[in-house]
Amino acid sequence: MASSIRRRRPLLTLAGLMLAAVALPAAAQASVGLELDGGWQFRQADSSDQHGKDPRARAWRAASVPGTVHTDLLALGAIPDPYTGMAEGGLQWIGLADWEYRRTFDVTSERLDDARSDLVFEGLDTFAGVYLNGEKLLEADNFHRTWRVPVQGRLKAQGNELRVVLHSPIRRVLPQVLAMPHKIAGNYPSPWGDEPKHAMTGNFVRKPGYHYGWDWGPRYVTAGIWKPVRLESWDAVRIDDMQLRQDSVTAKLANVQARIAIDVARAGRYALRLWQIAPDGTRTQAAEQAFDAKPGQRTLEAALRIANPRRWYPAGYGAQPLYRFDAQIVGDGEILAQASERTGLRSVELRRDQDANGQGFGFVINGVPVFAKGANSIPFDMFPARTSDAQIRRILTAARDANMNMLRVWGGGHYERDAFYAIADELGLMIWQDFMFGGGMQPAYEPAFRASVVAEARDQVRRLRDHPSIVLWCGNNEEEIAWKNWGQGKQLIEADPDFARRVWDGYVQLFGRDLRKVVAQEAGGIAYWASSPSNDLAEQANTPEAGDMHYWSVWVEKQPVEEYINVTPRFMSEFGLQAWPSLRTVRDYAGDAPLAVDSAVVVAHQKFLAGKGNERILDYIRMQYGDRSLQEARDFDDFVYLSQVMQAEGIELAALHHRASRPVTMGSLYWQLNDVWPGASWSGIDWYGRPKALQFHARRFFAPVAVAALRKDGKTTVSLLSDRTQATRGELRMRIFDLDGRLLRERRTPVDLPALTATAVLQQGDAELLGDADPRRTVAVFDLTVAGEPASRDVVYFAAAKDIAWPDPQLQTALRREPAPAQAGDDHYRLDLSAKAFARAVWIDFGELDAALQDNALSLVPGETVSLRVDASASLADLRKALRVRSLADTLSRDQ
């Protein structure tokens, strides 16, 4: 969590009605919270009789809050697991139904006497009527907002009934959309008939776009109370918000303005005390001031000067020390309210200098230009309430361990929970934070819609602004480019020019002015960017010369992966290739069903091109590895393996090109890090947390010190990449091998690596590298060694994989137990792996056993032995029995 008491929560939120540790006079009691997450029931509402599919949904049954209707029905046994088999189509009735939740609670006499009481809903999904004791309190309409409702005078001592009626967002909005003579563009039409394909409703609702289906996830239009609910009561004063605005941070001094927003229930004389807890745990009083307050809201400010601050840096550039600040409101010698916030001290700049190549786009942290390395993050589950903090930590730690330093939180999902950002703070992962707009176009021409979005944005920026990891707020994902470049604007202009003008003017108002203003007012100096990709509303968007780029000519337009190195952006914020997760993951949802590229259960979990995405994967496998690489119905395991090899090698080519183009290019974020369910996608880590080949490649191509050997038009350019802030020295070793293992040529060269640079040190044509060697049987291997850094390798192939006669590498393995434990509950093993001939794309697999490998998806030179750590709870005998090792030769040479 970002603080011991989450911002916008009561100063002391406890389980049940408990008083503060300090006994207070009756007239000056501390704010207390009654958590209302347990004891709920749900049922399908009478208003949606025609959509019911199971009688168990009609009676009141136990529910989980936070949660969703889907997960409650699953717990009840009323529906199958939404992720297994082909359940999706049969569950669309849930999104068309209305649902009702209820619970009762008691309130002590002390709380009834408090001057103020609020019901607080952190998240309602989405159109929700809230009733207390039969009286309607609230009509909510925004998934992303926090709702606070005063209820003093409406409570009773026993048997308060809280009821929430959730209306189908599809049925609520569809009449409005159908009535429009000309529609604004949506995202993905439903294949299930729950709404017409020509009248998509998702863009009209402030609800996660991915709930309506995306090209990597299913369509589950959820409803529920998806975040905690509580009753807050206070009789004197409550801390509503605490901001630590970093006005300036240098190595010598940090000037921080603490801003504490309070809600005063009773007039009186109070004092603010502010405590600072340094990263080493040292606690000092930073400020104290007395003030008189009348009932109402006000903001207190205290200027803090921190000498020689320990500054926060992104991963790979320095440490991540975190300071904590505790605020207390005191009256008559008693603590009446308190809150805590944690932050890291750093300066952040989005630098956009003009240069010979156009206008730059790069992040500067504490004066250091940082090359952003990472991926796009999507929600961790279709049903966000069931995502655990431990799951988030595993995925983000895997990102950091792959040498990433930035994640882009994509705009078609939801703002992540506090734990996500707190973990990013700890790991040094910079966060590019989209506002939650995933594509298409919104009805921003409607003032009420814009007002709701502005309230949402203010809620979220205030909640998240003290996290040092957040370095950018971005208006939306791909809406500007869709309007300008994909024909959406042109089509609407031709159909109805006046309406089209209103739509675009509304867009500019919301994303060019309204959200920019919220960020300027609330975010403490963090930059705002109107859309991704864009040049911040300049006439042209998604160009290599300025702003950020999404590059999808490779994949969407079926261009070969070699095209990646023909585009040199200022910042690449999206690019990607799809791959299937492991066969074990597929079996987890498919059971014993037959597996083939076109089998029904496989197609059901392939969302690209409405289920036809496997044809695109096959296109890319054939481009790289040839027709002989795969007979579609022969071996699904081959298809999975080759899809992962294709994805990993293609993304590596692009990422190394981006890094080698520094400082013209200053960021490379591939699509995507994680998954919402088990299926085909662009992720490097599947829904179960199992890494694909891409995840292992990323650790190598994002290494702080690396070598990139990029071949284009018969010439190879070797560049040395360094993200280190100090110059280093090392050795570059070049070896030319034939595939059978004969070393043809070798050269070792001492090299200097200046700080924060990409340095081209060698450029040679094929003839210079190969001599008389056969390009179809020869590879060039470049190894960079620098003291204190992991060794880096890049391999140049002089022919496409499909044109090479791959010899059997004769892989040899030896697995043994090591005495030192890897971690609690696991044993520690060592796997030695060697090859007699060149081995490309070596994949190590333990079948159904859980085993964490230090490395995988390797290429081995002849005679080389690699020793890898393996962590597993299985026995040595079981691991040896399950172990399987394969290389590209096992598939490509099979039919030769």
Side-chain angles (χ1 to χ4, degrees):
M1 292 176 62
S3 60
S4 60
I5 304 298
R6 287 165 59 181
R7 201 174 314 126
R8 304 184 67 79
R9 301 195 78 172
L11 45 147
L12 292 176
T13 301
L14 306 176
L17 281 174
M18 298 180 62
L19 294 178
V22 179
L24 302 177
Q29 292 179 344
S31 164
V32 292
L34 173 62
E35 299 288 354
L36 298 175
D37 290 348
W40 287 85
Q41 296 178 312
F42 86 113
R43 71 174 181 180
Q44 188 174 349
D46 294 338
S47 57
S48 56
D49 281 350
Q50 67 271 32
H51 299 288
K53 296 293 183 182
D54 193 304
R56 285 171 291 184
R58 301 309 186 97
W60 287 107
R61 303 281 184 162
S64 294
V65 171
T68 67
V69 171
H70 287 78
T71 50
D72 285 333
L73 289 170
L74 178 61
L76 184 63
I79 62 171
D81 187 327
Y83 289 3
T84 60
M86 296 180 288
E88 183 183 356
L91 300 181
Q92 296 308 305
W93 64 273
I94 300 171
L96 291 170
D98 296 340
W99 299 91
E100 191 173 4
Y101 282 70
R102 73 178 184 186
R103 68 153 292 167
T104 60
F105 62 95
D106 300 334
V107 180
T108 66
S109 58
E110 291 87 353
R111 300 288 66 78
L112 288 173
D113 292 337
D114 280 339
R116 294 283 303 277
S117 290
D118 286 355
L119 271 173
V120 181
F121 296 85
E122 289 191 23
L124 292 169
D125 180 8
T126 293
F127 291 109
V130 177
Y131 301 81
L132 177 65
N133 297 326
E135 178 186 357
K136 190 169 187 177
L137 301 179
L138 171 68
E139 188 68 42
D141 63 355
N142 190 321
F143 178 101
H144 306 291
R145 287 184 63 179
T146 296
W147 303 93
R148 176 180 289 273
V149 186
V151 292
Q152 60 268 20
R154 295 168 170 168
L155 298 169
K156 54 187 180 180
Q158 294 182 324
N160 293 280
E161 184 187 58
L162 184 58
R163 191 165 62 95
V164 179
V165 179
L166 298 147
H167 302 282
S168 165
I170 298 173
R171 291 197 299 133
R172 172 64 67 91
V173 174
L174 186 56
Q176 166 194 344
V177 178
L178 287 172
M180 297 174 66
H182 300 287
K183 313 295 190 288
I184 59 175
N187 292 303
Y188 292 94
S190 172
W192 306 114
D194 52 328
E195 68 180 17
K197 293 185 178 182
H198 71 282
M200 290 179 275
T201 62
N203 284 24
F204 293 83
V205 183
R206 290 310 298 142
K207 177 177 174 58
Y210 82 108
H211 284 169
Y212 293 82
W214 220 264
D215 56 5
W216 35 252
R219 180 181 175 93
Y220 288 127
V221 183
T222 61
I225 305 170
W226 78 282
K227 277 191 169 185
V229 184
R230 62 189 177 275
L231 174 69
E232 293 182 8
S233 301
W234 69 102
D235 202 46
V237 62
R238 179 180 67 87
I239 295 179
D240 181 58
D241 181 51
M242 180 175 175
Q243 180 188 12
L244 303 167
R245 193 183 69 204
Q246 300 181 31
D247 293 334
S248 67
V249 178
T250 68
K252 293 183 178 180
L253 182 66
N255 287 312
V256 178
Q257 189 81 3
R259 309 183 75 217
I260 295 93
I262 61 174
D263 194 340
V264 179
R266 295 187 186 275
R269 185 159 182 81
Y270 302 100
L272 166 67
R273 292 176 185 167
L274 194 63
W275 302 83
Q276 173 189 310
I277 298 87
D280 63 2
T282 303
R283 189 171 190 265
T284 57
Q285 187 166 344
E288 182 170 6
Q289 65 184 50
F291 62 95
D292 293 314
K294 297 179 181 179
Q297 296 179 335
R298 64 175 294 179
T299 299
L300 310 173
E301 296 189 358
L304 309 178
R305 292 169 58 85
I306 303 168
N308 303 313
R310 293 187 58 193
R311 291 184 291 175
W312 184 96
Y313 284 89
Y317 286 80
Q320 292 80 45
L322 297 169
Y323 289 76
R324 196 178 86 238
F325 295 86
D326 295 339
Q328 299 173 341
I329 305 296
V330 179
D332 295 328
E334 303 287 355
I335 298 174
L336 303 178
Q338 57 188 12
S340 181
E341 195 62 78
R342 190 179 73 168
T343 194
L345 303 177
R346 83 285 184 260
S347 64
V348 179
E349 176 190 357
L350 176 61
R351 184 168 293 174
R352 303 190 62 218
D353 294 341
Q354 292 284 346
D355 58 27
N357 298 285
Q359 186 174 20
F361 187 103
F363 294 91
V364 180
I365 311 297
N366 298 325
V368 179
V370 174
F371 189 99
K373 303 176 298 188
N376 289 259
S377 167
I378 64 172
F380 295 87
D381 200 284
M382 288 302 300
F383 314 112
R386 71 178 183 177
T387 300
S388 69
D389 291 355
Q391 180 184 0
I392 293 172
R393 184 172 291 277
R394 283 194 300 271
I395 299 298
L396 296 196
T397 299
R400 190 277 316 274
D401 291 347
N403 292 306
M404 297 185 189
N405 59 33
M406 176 177 275
L407 298 176
R408 173 178 171 240
V409 178
W410 169 77
H414 53 81
Y415 306 92
E416 291 291 347
R417 67 176 69 184
D418 293 346
F420 176 96
Y421 302 94
I423 294 166
D425 295 343
E426 297 166 10
L427 297 177
L429 294 171
M430 297 181 292
I431 300 299
W432 168 317
Q433 178 66 55
D434 282 3
F435 287 102
M436 289 300 115
F437 295 89
M441 187 59 73
Q442 272 67 39
Y445 49 83
E446 295 180 354
F449 183 89
R450 289 201 310 274
S452 179
V453 173
V454 168
E456 161 198 323
R458 207 172 295 278
D459 272 358
Q460 297 297 340
V461 174
R462 286 179 175 176
R463 178 173 71 94
L464 301 175
R465 60 189 171 191
D466 285 329
H467 289 283
S469 52
I470 295 182
V471 298
L472 184 71
W473 287 92
C474 178
N476 66 69
N477 171 77
E478 293 186 344
E479 294 199 359
E480 180 181 347
I481 187 178
W483 180 267
K484 291 179 175 178
N485 295 8
W486 298 353
Q488 293 182 5
K490 182 175 183 293
Q491 292 169 11
L492 194 57
I493 289 169
E494 292 173 351
D496 188 339
D498 290 337
F499 181 52
R501 189 178 306 108
R502 285 182 61 212
V503 170
W504 181 246
D505 288 348
Y507 176 94
V508 173
Q509 179 63 42
L510 179 58
F511 296 108
R513 303 186 189 99
D514 294 345
L515 293 181
R516 194 184 304 275
K517 182 178 179 180
V518 170
V519 172
Q521 291 174 338
E522 305 286 359
I526 300 301
Y528 173 79
W529 193 244
S531 181
S532 180
S534 79
N535 191 19
D536 208 25
L537 282 171
E539 182 175 351
Q540 287 190 322
N542 206 36
T543 67
E545 294 78 22
D548 69 313
M549 281 194 73
H550 294 187
Y551 183 68
W552 288 105
S553 292
V554 176
W555 183 259
V556 172
E557 298 175 12
K558 296 199 289 188
Q559 294 296 310
V561 296
E562 289 78 15
E563 284 300 309
Y564 277 136
I565 61 176
N566 292 326
V567 177
T568 304
R570 305 317 302 253
F571 192 105
M572 186 66 84
S573 48
E574 272 194 33
F575 64 103
L577 293 163
Q578 213 189 60
W580 274 85
S582 70
L583 194 63
R584 180 182 178 191
T585 290
V586 176
R587 277 294 176 204
D588 282 340
Y589 73 76
D592 296 328
L595 298 182
V597 172
D598 58 355
S599 65
V601 70
V602 168
V603 171
H605 287 249
Q606 165 60 273
K607 295 301 179 181
F608 182 66
L609 292 178
K612 299 182 183 297
N614 288 341
E615 297 174 11
R616 184 63 48 85
I617 295 178
L618 288 169
D619 288 340
Y620 275 89
I621 288 175
R622 292 191 179 99
M623 274 189 234
Q624 298 300 310
Y625 311 113
D627 290 335
R628 74 172 187 267
S629 67
L630 193 67
Q631 300 298 325
E632 293 180 30
R634 184 186 66 196
D635 192 339
F636 188 75
D637 189 29
D638 280 353
F639 171 67
V640 168
Y641 166 75
L642 288 170
S643 74
Q644 290 198 19
V645 174
M646 175 272 297
Q647 178 195 44
E649 293 185 345
I651 299 303
E652 178 170 296
L653 176 67
L656 287 177
H657 167 61
H658 300 153
R659 294 191 67 191
S661 302
R662 178 176 186 159
V664 174
T665 303
M666 285 301 291
S668 182
L669 308 180
Y670 63 77
W671 185 269
Q672 63 203 67
L673 176 67
N674 59 302
D675 275 332
V676 299
W677 82 324
S681 81
W682 295 260
S683 72
I685 305 172
D686 75 20
W687 182 73
Y688 291 99
R690 296 165 186 156
K692 298 178 185 176
L694 173 58
Q695 184 68 13
F696 294 102
H697 277 245
R699 185 179 60 82
R700 299 191 288 268
F701 63 67
F702 279 154
V705 173
V707 59
L710 302 175
R711 180 175 176 269
K712 178 181 177 182
D713 299 330
K715 291 183 179 180
T716 295
T717 301
V718 179
S719 299
L720 307 181
L721 317 174
S722 178
D723 292 335
R724 298 306 188 194
T725 56
Q726 301 293 325
T728 57
R729 301 201 70 193
E731 181 184 77
L732 179 65
R733 182 186 187 189
M734 180 186 74
R735 288 175 288 174
I736 309 296
F737 287 97
D738 71 18
L739 294 178
D740 290 321
R742 187 162 58 100
L743 178 63
L744 304 179
R745 188 151 54 95
E746 179 176 13
R747 185 171 70 190
R748 297 174 182 264
T749 307
V751 291
D752 293 316
L753 287 82
L756 304 171
T757 57
T759 307
V761 295
L762 175 69
Q763 187 177 73
Q764 289 190 345
D766 289 351
E768 296 173 87
L769 289 172
L770 287 169
D772 295 330
D774 184 348
R776 294 173 298 176
R777 298 193 55 80
T778 309
V779 295
V781 180
F782 296 88
D783 290 294
L784 174 65
T785 55
V786 174
E789 303 285 354
S792 176
R793 169 177 293 170
D794 203 7
V795 180
V796 172
Y797 303 96
F798 298 94
K802 62 187 178 183
D803 297 325
I804 295 175
W806 295 95
D808 179 2
Q810 302 180 58
L811 294 168
Q812 302 292 318
T813 62
L815 183 64
R816 63 186 186 277
R817 184 190 299 273
E818 289 198 340
Q823 57 187 18
D826 282 353
D827 289 324
H828 190 51
Y829 300 92
R830 179 66 53 177
L831 175 66
D832 294 329
L833 178 67
S834 62
K836 292 188 177 180
F838 188 85
R840 180 171 173 179
V842 176
W843 184 253
I844 306 159
D845 183 34
F846 288 93
E848 296 299 312
L849 299 180
D850 287 318
L853 281 151
Q854 176 186 4
D855 205 354
N856 209 339
L858 302 158
S859 290
L860 300 181
V861 301
E864 178 180 40
T865 297
V866 175
S867 185
L868 304 174
R869 189 184 72 244
V870 181
D871 301 335
S873 59
S875 69
L876 179 60
D878 287 343
L879 287 170
R880 283 175 171 168
K881 184 178 179 180
L883 175 62
R884 297 288 183 272
V885 180
R886 69 185 301 174
S887 74
L888 201 58
D890 295 313
T891 298
L892 299 196
S893 62
R894 188 178 298 173
D895 297 329
Q896 293 179 31

